[in-house]
Amino acid sequence: MKIWTSEHIFNHPWETVTKAAMQKYPNPMNPSVFGVDVLDRTVDQQGRLHSKRLLSTEWGLPSIVKSIIGNARTCTYVQEHSVVDPKEKTLELKSTNITFTNMVSVDERLIYKPHPEEPEKTVLTQEAIISVKGVSLSSYLEGLMANTISTNAGKGREAMEWVIRRLNAEIEELAITARGSIRTPMAAAVTEK
Amino acid sequence: QELFLKMNSVGEGCTELKREYDQCFNRWFAEKFLKGDRSGDPCTEMFKKYQSCVQKAIKEKDIPIDGVEFMGPNKEKPGS
């Protein structure tokens, strides 16, 4: 068992970060994710949105290796359950691998909340619990995996920043297009005189 | 126009349905849900179509979806 935890602050409000988290893939920092599917989605009695998602990832092995060991063996699937509370402003994500469970177990938990002192910022706390099964070098391997998770968490935050920039650019582009499409009929109306 | 890159579904034939649903959901999520508007979800029909496609693909690919809990009692899962 190895537990890894971390805390990070985003210089963006909670709503922006939450929207980005729901649209995190695809992004250049997670090229191995080839499929994201929503399996279930409901709003509970307290108005919180529950989503169950399936993340399909590929190890990126060279095609010759894949042709030997078969395509199915190179895919890993992760199931994620998220809860968005729009009143309390919390987003919680829990994920676990559902394949290769006889070898390794990686459980991750992420919580996004507004920064308690600076409301235009968001705090992310995350933890991962890793177990490698039935291997005598398990604590060494777990240590390696914890390093990978730490590196990936950095990539994950970069990915979030990337998605936030894209979202903001999209909003900007829509605003410019909207202004343009209002201007044209107005200009036409003026010249028509 | 497509400013945003889009994700695929695990079911190759379901990607279009998934993207349509995602677009509907993302709009509802940002403009209604997060702003406290509890009016109905406009995406239920799209979701149903997308679901019937993707659940079939998941069965075909033998992906072991179940009620897996985070650090739950059935974490000691047999096989992969």
Side-chain angles (χ1 to χ4, degrees):
Chain A
M1 285 274 282
K2 177 126 191 130
I3 296 172
W4 169 91
T5 60
S6 111
E7 201 182 84
H8 178 79
I9 296 172
F10 288 95
N11 288 329
H12 307 280
W14 179 83
E15 286 80 2
T16 302
V17 174
T18 296
K19 279 185 265 188
M22 305 302 271
Q23 300 179 61
K24 188 177 174 190
Y25 306 101
N27 71 71
M29 294 81 187
N30 297 106
S32 55
V33 178
F34 70 85
V36 176
D37 285 287
V38 181
L39 303 178
D40 193 25
R41 201 162 245 161
T42 47
V43 179
D44 68 16
Q45 301 279 44
Q46 294 109 296
R48 299 177 306 183
L49 180 73
H50 294 251
S51 307
K52 195 168 92 171
R53 298 201 307 177
L54 173 70
L55 273 57
S56 310
T57 66
E58 213 196 87
W59 298 2
L61 294 172
S63 30
I64 182 125
V65 180
K66 286 200 284 195
S67 60
I68 295 165
I69 70 175
N71 248 339
R73 307 270 290 275
T74 67
C75 296
T76 309
Y77 296 100
V78 170
Q79 200 163 305
E80 174 203 87
H81 177 216
S82 62
V83 187
V84 184
D85 189 333
K87 288 192 287 272
E88 296 296 312
K89 299 201 184 185
T90 58
L91 164 59
E92 181 175 12
L93 296 119
K94 286 182 184 165
S95 71
T96 183
N97 59 306
I98 58 173
T99 50
F100 301 104
T101 53
N102 57 332
M103 287 181 227
V104 68
S105 169
V106 181
D107 290 350
E108 282 198 281
R109 186 176 177 215
L110 287 76
I111 304 178
Y112 293 92
K113 287 186 182 160
H115 191 287
E117 278 99 50
E118 296 177 78
E120 287 304 292
K121 295 188 180 170
T122 303
V123 182
L124 162 64
T125 44
Q126 67 188 111
E127 67 178 15
I129 301 163
I130 311 144
S131 310
V132 175
K133 306 201 166 92
V135 178
S136 58
L137 295 174
S138 54
S139 56
Y140 169 69
L141 289 171
E142 286 169 4
L144 273 185
M145 290 201 64
N147 284 340
T148 306
I149 288 186
S150 176
T151 308
N152 287 346
K155 273 198 239 157
R157 295 189 290 264
E158 265 183 73
M160 288 293 289
E161 294 288 351
W162 184 91
V163 175
I164 288 166
R165 275 199 301 275
R166 291 294 295 241
L167 275 174
N168 287 338
E170 190 178 66
I171 292 166
E172 189 56 42
E173 180 77 32
L174 281 169
I176 291 167
T177 312
R179 282 200 290 276
S181 59
I182 291 166
R183 209 172 286 131
T184 322
M186 278 173 69
V190 170
T191 53
E192 224 109 72
K193 293 214 178 83
Chain B
Q1 81 269 47
E2 296 258 303
L3 285 176
F4 230 93
L5 304 174
K6 302 285 186 209
M7 199 63 236
N8 290 340
S9 169
V10 70
E12 294 82 6
C14 309
T15 292
E16 265 319 296
L17 291 170
K18 171 202 141 63
R19 289 180 186 186
E20 267 179 49
Y21 165 70
D22 280 349
Q23 192 168 45
C24 180
F25 169 77
N26 289 331
R27 192 178 304 135
W28 170 82
F29 185 72
E31 292 166 23
K32 296 271 155 88
F33 181 75
L34 283 184
K35 299 190 176 170
D37 183 335
R38 303 282 293 272
S39 62
D41 177 0
C43 312
T44 42
E45 278 313 303
M46 267 181 250
F47 188 62
K48 278 191 204 140
K49 283 191 214 151
Y50 163 50
Q51 278 305 290
S52 62
C53 183
V54 81
Q55 295 289 351
K56 216 188 311 171
I58 285 166
K59 278 207 181 73
E60 279 167 17
K61 290 175 192 254
D62 239 330
I63 299 170
I65 307 287
D66 59 17
V68 180
E69 281 168 60
F70 178 85
M71 287 307 289
N74 51 345
K75 253 318 223 178
E76 290 298 301
K77 292 164 261 187
S80 72

